[in-house]
């Protein structure tokens, strides 16, 4: 076999190996991308108010980095949201205007007023963080904690802002705004009720399992507060 012929076959062999290598990387990346998209799509079916997103990473390489960033962002958000929403089930809050609490903490309500102030401060701070973290720019910046590769930054943004994900963010924002209005009203009105009882100390008593006032005017003021919470 001539030298030229040998060189030609070697060249073909190298070219074939390069083609196979490139094909391998293309197929591998296409598989990883497809798996990533399927995994993120499955995340959109979860409920941020009760589910966790700290699931096993299904892809690898920088696709796995994007998957990790998405799951980490959503899981941190879900944990804070769920913890914040627990306030509506807090027995101390739901019983703060009860006969038992009036009897145990009245007539000065020092413990109850301190509790309400601390809860409102914590709740409002968490709500501010939750609403801020739904901002598109905040979501977009999060990926830079994991990678600055523009291709994968763009991929992260595409996956985080699909129609289904945007719908989820919009629904979560509406839920937060409704909850904030409701809880702030409960906290503020509860504080107003207790402050009213402190100021009117001596003009109300606890008898036969209920609070009683010396005149209808005070009773009507008290009931106006209670109805405001119930509505």
């Amino acid at each position: 076999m001539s030298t030229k012929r040998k060189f030609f076959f070697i060249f073909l062999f190298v070219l074939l190996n390069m083609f196979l290598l490139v094909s391998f990387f293309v197929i591998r990346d296409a598989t990883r991308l497809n798996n990533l998209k399927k995994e993120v799509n499955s995340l959109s079916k979860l409920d941020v108010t009760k589910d966790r997103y700290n699931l096993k990473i299904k892809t690898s390489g920088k696709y796995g980095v994007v998957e990790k960033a998405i799951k980490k962002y959503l899981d941190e958000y879900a944990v804070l949201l769920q913890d914040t929403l627990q306030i509506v089930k807090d027995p101390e809050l739901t019983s703060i205007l009860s006969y038992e609490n009036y009897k145990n903490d009245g007539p000065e309500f020092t413990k109850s007023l301190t509790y309400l102030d601390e809860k409102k401060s914590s709740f409002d701070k968490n709500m501010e963080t939750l609403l801020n973290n739904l901002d598109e720019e905040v979501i977009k910046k999060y990926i830079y904690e994991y990678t600055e590769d523009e291709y994968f930054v763009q991929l992260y943004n595409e996956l985080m802002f699909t129609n289904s994900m945007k719908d989820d963010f919009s629904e979560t924002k509406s839920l937060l705004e409704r909850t904030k209005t409701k809880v702030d009203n409960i906290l503020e009105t509860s504080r107003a009720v207790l402050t009213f009882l402190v100021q009117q100390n001596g003009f109300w008593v606890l008898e036969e399992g209920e609070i009683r006032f010396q005149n209808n005017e005070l009773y009507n003021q008290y009931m106006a507060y209670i109805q405001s919470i119930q509505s």
Side-chain angles (χ1 to χ4, degrees):
M1 184 181 294
S2 67
T3 302
K4 286 185 178 180
R5 201 177 188 87
K6 286 181 180 180
F7 178 78
F8 176 72
F9 280 117
I10 291 172
F11 175 75
L12 283 180
F13 180 75
V14 171
L15 195 63
L16 178 60
N17 279 347
M18 289 178 63
F19 174 76
L20 291 174
L21 188 61
V22 170
S23 297
F24 167 77
F25 284 122
V26 169
I27 293 171
R28 185 196 65 180
D29 283 2
T31 301
R32 288 177 174 176
L33 177 59
N34 185 56
N35 289 340
L36 175 59
K37 288 182 176 180
K38 286 167 58 178
E39 187 65 11
V40 173
N41 184 57
S42 71
L43 296 178
S44 66
K45 296 179 174 65
L46 298 178
D47 186 342
V48 72
T49 65
K50 60 184 180 181
D51 293 322
R52 291 290 304 272
Y53 297 80
N54 57 338
L55 306 171
K56 181 180 178 182
I57 302 300
K58 302 291 182 64
T59 53
S60 56
K62 287 196 173 181
Y63 293 95
V65 171
V66 172
E67 182 185 349
K68 181 179 179 181
I70 291 173
K71 287 181 174 178
K72 188 72 172 175
Y73 178 86
L74 294 175
D75 192 59
E76 288 177 350
Y77 196 91
V79 169
L80 180 59
L81 174 63
Q82 291 166 29
D83 181 62
T84 304
L85 294 182
Q86 283 299 310
I87 189 173
V88 299
K89 300 178 181 178
D90 186 343
E92 190 167 355
L93 177 60
T94 56
S95 65
I96 204 159
L97 299 183
S98 67
Y99 178 88
E100 285 302 314
N101 191 56
Y102 289 171
K103 182 173 67 175
N104 295 331
D105 196 32
E108 297 301 324
F109 299 103
T110 304
K111 179 183 175 183
S112 297
L113 290 169
T114 299
Y115 164 83
L116 288 171
D117 289 343
E118 290 176 349
K119 274 295 178 181
K120 179 162 174 52
S121 175
S122 173
F123 176 76
D124 287 346
K125 181 180 178 181
N126 286 351
M127 276 293 174
E128 182 180 0
T129 299
L130 288 166
L131 288 168
N132 179 68
N133 286 352
L134 285 178
D135 182 80
E136 185 173 324
E137 290 306 311
V138 173
I139 297 173
K140 286 181 176 180
K141 287 179 181 178
Y142 190 79
I143 185 59
Y144 289 103
E145 295 182 21
Y146 294 84
T147 181
E148 294 186 359
D149 186 308
E150 283 307 311
Y151 171 76
F152 291 99
V153 168
Q154 183 61 34
L155 178 59
Y156 164 88
N157 288 329
E158 289 176 5
L159 295 172
M160 284 294 270
F161 293 102
T162 60
N163 288 335
S164 60
M165 292 290 273
K166 286 193 290 187
D167 287 344
D168 287 345
F169 292 147
S170 179
E171 289 175 10
T172 300
K173 184 177 181 180
S174 296
L175 170 66
L176 290 173
E177 290 172 341
R178 293 195 307 272
T179 302
K180 187 176 189 309
T181 299
K182 176 182 177 181
V183 173
D184 276 343
N185 177 58
I186 292 172
L187 292 170
E188 291 167 5
T189 307
S190 294
R191 196 183 200 293
V193 170
L194 298 183
T195 301
F196 169 76
L197 293 178
V198 171
Q199 293 171 344
Q200 301 303 326
N201 183 18
F203 293 92
W204 56 271
V205 293
L206 300 175
E207 292 179 346
E208 299 178 359
E210 63 181 16
I211 184 170
R212 294 175 177 173
F213 293 87
Q214 285 191 2
N215 58 64
N216 285 335
E217 182 181 354
L218 293 177
Y219 172 76
N220 290 336
Q221 288 181 48
Y222 173 80
M223 288 307 300
Y225 285 127
I226 300 301
Q227 290 166 2
S228 172
I229 293 178
Q230 293 174 341
S231 62

